[in-house]
Amino acid sequence: MPYDPATVESYFDAFAEREWQRFDQSPLGAVHEHIHNLFLHRHVPRGARVLEVGAGPGRFTQRLHELGCRIVVVDLSGVQLDLNRKYGNERGFAKSVERYAKLDICELSGIPDQSFDVVVAFGGPFSYVFERREDAAASCRRVLRSGGVLVASVMSLWGAIHRHLAALRDLPVWSMMDIIATGDLTVENDPTSSHKCHMYRSEEFVALLERHGFTIQALSASNAVSTNLDPLLVELRKQPDRWRALLDIEAEAAARPGFVDGGTHLIVAAEAS
């Protein structure tokens, strides 16, 4: 499936406020946000100059502000950029934003070479660009200084299959097998889904970044242990000590080789050589 920026823009324009709300709608979303925030705390130096690509309405912009970062906020969706400004002004994190820009991860036009300490690309920008993933990786490397860090997440193939195994019952078998073979969720193999993206195997994402001069520092799943346990998560969330224990277990297990491909997302921190 070819990359179509206009389709991605339209999808997130329509998604609007739900992009801010989605981490609050279920305990699984809260686990997802927690693991991503751990990566920011572990791999983004305090006070760093950060390019946040696919920043959306600012859930992670807010966390970067708490780390004292100077942030350039980038998104394809004008609606999401407006929401980032809105929430930033309401919650105070806009004071850390140098500027907002409607840009494509595959080009990042007008951004000087080696001008950032960190690039954050959470929420799957690499998953939406399909055949232009090499351009996206090259673009992120171009704007990072040597020794800078890319912190990114993508949709995980095996984790998504685990989470949505019911599709094997609901879709034609050939559809599921095509999704697994290609990693692509498209209008051809699943016309029932409005969410079109490329889902990565961990070795595929690592190889992509290594081809563009990145050295992997850390690799983890998100929502590996806790996937498909929604009723239990609701119960545990009512008990703060047990909820904290779950988050600690998830964070440790998700980074283990046996779990890395088992979460809904893959998260990576990689140093630019």
Side-chain angles (χ1 to χ4, degrees):
M1 179 172 175
Y3 173 42
D4 182 1
T7 297
V8 178
E9 178 182 0
S10 177
Y11 178 84
F12 283 101
D13 281 354
F15 210 69
E17 296 269 2
R18 288 175 290 165
E19 184 66 10
W20 177 273
Q21 299 161 356
R22 65 189 178 93
F23 296 134
D24 301 321
Q25 292 175 337
S26 72
L28 193 68
V31 174
H32 175 92
E33 185 178 30
H34 175 76
I35 299 300
H36 280 70
N37 280 333
L38 275 181
F39 260 65
L40 296 183
H41 280 281
R42 290 172 177 172
H43 301 288
V44 177
R46 294 195 69 86
R49 187 164 190 255
V50 178
L51 177 67
E52 188 184 9
V53 183
R59 291 293 288 240
F60 298 116
T61 315
Q62 180 173 244
R63 193 52 55 104
L64 292 167
H65 162 73
E66 292 167 2
L67 290 170
C69 298
R70 295 160 293 134
I71 313 155
V72 172
V73 169
V74 167
D75 205 286
L76 262 181
S77 164
V79 171
Q80 294 299 325
L81 285 173
D82 287 343
L83 288 170
N84 198 299
R85 289 189 189 93
K86 170 193 165 184
Y87 285 115
N89 288 323
E90 291 175 355
R91 295 167 181 257
F93 61 82
K95 65 184 67 174
S96 293
V97 177
E98 294 181 359
R99 70 182 179 103
Y100 303 86
K102 190 171 181 291
L103 293 175
D104 189 326
I105 190 174
C106 294
E107 297 171 6
L108 297 177
S109 304
I111 294 182
D113 293 358
Q114 301 183 37
S115 53
F116 288 92
D117 304 308
V118 178
V119 171
V120 173
F122 279 169
F126 280 94
S127 282
Y128 293 113
V129 298
F130 288 98
E131 83 288 355
R132 293 199 64 190
R133 66 197 69 152
E134 302 287 345
D135 293 333
S139 187
C140 289
R141 176 62 191 90
R142 178 184 67 78
V143 302
L144 272 172
R145 65 172 178 78
S146 181
V149 178
L150 170 68
V151 186
S153 64
V154 295
M155 286 65 164
S156 169
L157 174 63
W158 292 118
I161 296 299
H162 179 208
R163 177 67 176 164
H164 301 288
L165 191 60
L168 187 58
R169 174 198 64 204
D170 301 331
L171 290 174
V173 171
W174 74 263
S175 297
M176 177 66 89
M177 301 313 292
D178 186 70
I179 291 168
I180 290 172
T182 64
D184 291 343
L185 185 65
T186 71
V187 292
E188 287 78 18
N189 58 31
D190 186 2
T192 68
S193 174
S194 61
H195 188 219
K196 308 305 178 187
C197 65
H198 179 74
M199 298 171 288
Y200 286 81
R201 295 164 169 84
S202 59
E203 63 271 21
E204 175 190 11
F205 193 42
V206 166
L208 169 66
L209 297 181
E210 289 180 342
R211 285 196 297 275
H212 291 274
F214 288 100
T215 300
I216 306 302
Q217 295 180 318
L219 180 67
S220 175
S222 177
N223 309 102
V225 175
S226 49
T227 292
N228 293 338
L229 296 173
D230 301 63
L232 175 60
L233 296 185
V234 170
E235 183 179 345
L236 291 176
R237 203 177 187 188
K238 297 174 183 176
Q239 305 174 63
D241 57 335
R242 296 184 187 278
W243 180 251
R244 172 52 58 184
L246 169 70
L247 294 177
D248 291 344
I249 291 167
E250 177 80 40
E252 182 174 354
R256 303 296 300 170
F259 273 111
V260 162
D261 276 290
T264 57
H265 289 69
L266 291 161
I267 314 174
V268 68
E271 182 178 346
S273 57

